[in-house]
Amino acid sequence: MTVRLVIADDQAMIRAGLRLVAETAPGIDVVGEAADGREALDVVRRLRPDVLLMDVAMPRLDGLGAARRLLADPRPPKIVMLTTFGTDRNLHAALRAGVNGFLLKTSPPELLAEAVRVAATGDALIDPAVTMRVIASFAGGPAPVERPELDALTRRERQVLNLLARGLSNPEIAGALGLGEATVRTHVARVLQKLGVRDRVQAVVFAYEAGVVRPGQGERPCGGG
């Protein structure tokens, strides 16, 4: 399957670089570009791409505002957000809005292509460095929210959720727990189902809000057998 991609960034050189990376990756077809959030709305609604790769900080309408509007449409694209350490103040809000990924502009090209493909399948990918920003955004924040859904997780599923929240990929989780990747995929699917979340990104947000992982702390006691 070829993934139809639109790229939105206010810097022409960045758009050109992203296009080059995307078009050299198998199975990705760049069908349009936008220079700001308002143009992204028009281009996406006209071309109906599978995935929108969009910068957070843009003029006229920023990436977060554009994402919220597009995700309210009847047939929204999957959205992968791009950020730098200086422009990610809306990271948590974007994750809660339902985007399908978050990458740094310094992420390696192969991670960008993977994020686009993963988003097209309905799953999500967060750059591990961005996950560290998620952790930081919860430091000094409100107390964890009690979530009874955690009680439905087995001990192994809690371990998987903990590692998901720390930004590990399925192969990395498999290595950490001594499991096969197919088994990890099954555990991840069960975690998402039991928590009632759509994808890995939402599972990460859930984990931090529920206090499964907190900055400087390990996993809380398991709530399942």
Side-chain angles (χ1 to χ4, degrees), residues 11-109:
Q11 299 182 55
M13 289 185 65
I14 296 294
R15 290 200 309 276
L18 294 172
R19 174 184 277 272
L20 179 63
V21 170
E23 290 187 332
T24 55
I28 299 176
D29 181 19
V30 179
V31 297
E33 295 183 10
D36 58 52
R38 291 191 183 278
E39 188 176 353
L41 295 180
D42 295 338
V43 172
V44 166
R45 288 166 175 168
R46 176 167 50 87
L47 298 179
R48 297 293 179 186
D50 301 306
V51 178
L52 169 62
L53 181 63
M54 180 164 58
D55 188 17
V56 170
M58 294 189 294
R60 294 211 296 167
L61 179 65
D62 66 18
L64 178 57
R68 283 174 169 159
R69 296 189 190 187
L70 288 171
L71 290 169
D73 285 352
R75 293 169 50 204
K78 308 302 182 183
I79 300 176
V80 177
M81 304 296 290
L82 286 165
T83 186
T84 67
F85 281 125
T87 59
D88 62 356
R89 290 175 297 173
N90 293 320
L91 170 61
H92 188 205
L95 294 175
R96 289 187 60 83
V99 302
N100 290 79
F102 231 108
L103 296 175
L104 295 175
K105 288 188 176 181
T106 55
S107 297

Side-chain angles (χ1 to χ4, degrees), residues 45-181:
R45 288 166 175 168
R46 176 167 50 87
L47 298 179
R48 297 293 179 186
D50 301 306
V51 178
L52 169 62
L53 181 63
M54 180 164 58
D55 188 17
V56 170
M58 294 189 294
R60 294 211 296 167
L61 179 65
D62 66 18
L64 178 57
R68 283 174 169 159
R69 296 189 190 187
L70 288 171
L71 290 169
D73 285 352
R75 293 169 50 204
K78 308 302 182 183
I79 300 176
V80 177
M81 304 296 290
L82 286 165
T83 186
T84 67
F85 281 125
T87 59
D88 62 356
R89 290 175 297 173
N90 293 320
L91 170 61
H92 188 205
L95 294 175
R96 289 187 60 83
V99 302
N100 290 79
F102 231 108
L103 296 175
L104 295 175
K105 288 188 176 181
T106 55
S107 297
E110 60 271 18
L111 188 61
L112 186 151
E114 182 184 0
V116 170
R117 295 193 193 96
V118 166
T121 68
D123 206 338
L125 183 150
I126 309 178
D127 187 309
V130 177
T131 302
M132 296 303 101
R133 301 295 294 182
V134 178
I135 296 174
S137 73
F138 282 91
V145 178
E146 290 295 329
R147 299 299 298 266
E149 297 95 328
L150 290 172
D151 293 337
L153 300 184
T154 65
R155 182 173 298 273
R156 179 65 82 189
E157 289 164 354
R158 280 290 293 265
Q159 291 174 332
V160 169
L161 176 61
N162 182 278
L163 296 176
L164 275 178
R166 296 181 184 279
L168 273 66
S169 65
N170 283 357
E172 290 169 334
I173 294 173
L177 299 179
L179 302 173
E181 287 188 42

Side-chain angles (χ1 to χ4, degrees), residues 131 134-135 138 144 165-166 203-214:
T131 302
V134 178
I135 296 174
F138 282 91
R166 296 181 184 279
V204 170
V205 174
F206 184 108
Y208 286 112
E209 289 185 336
V212 174
V213 177
R214 295 290 289 177

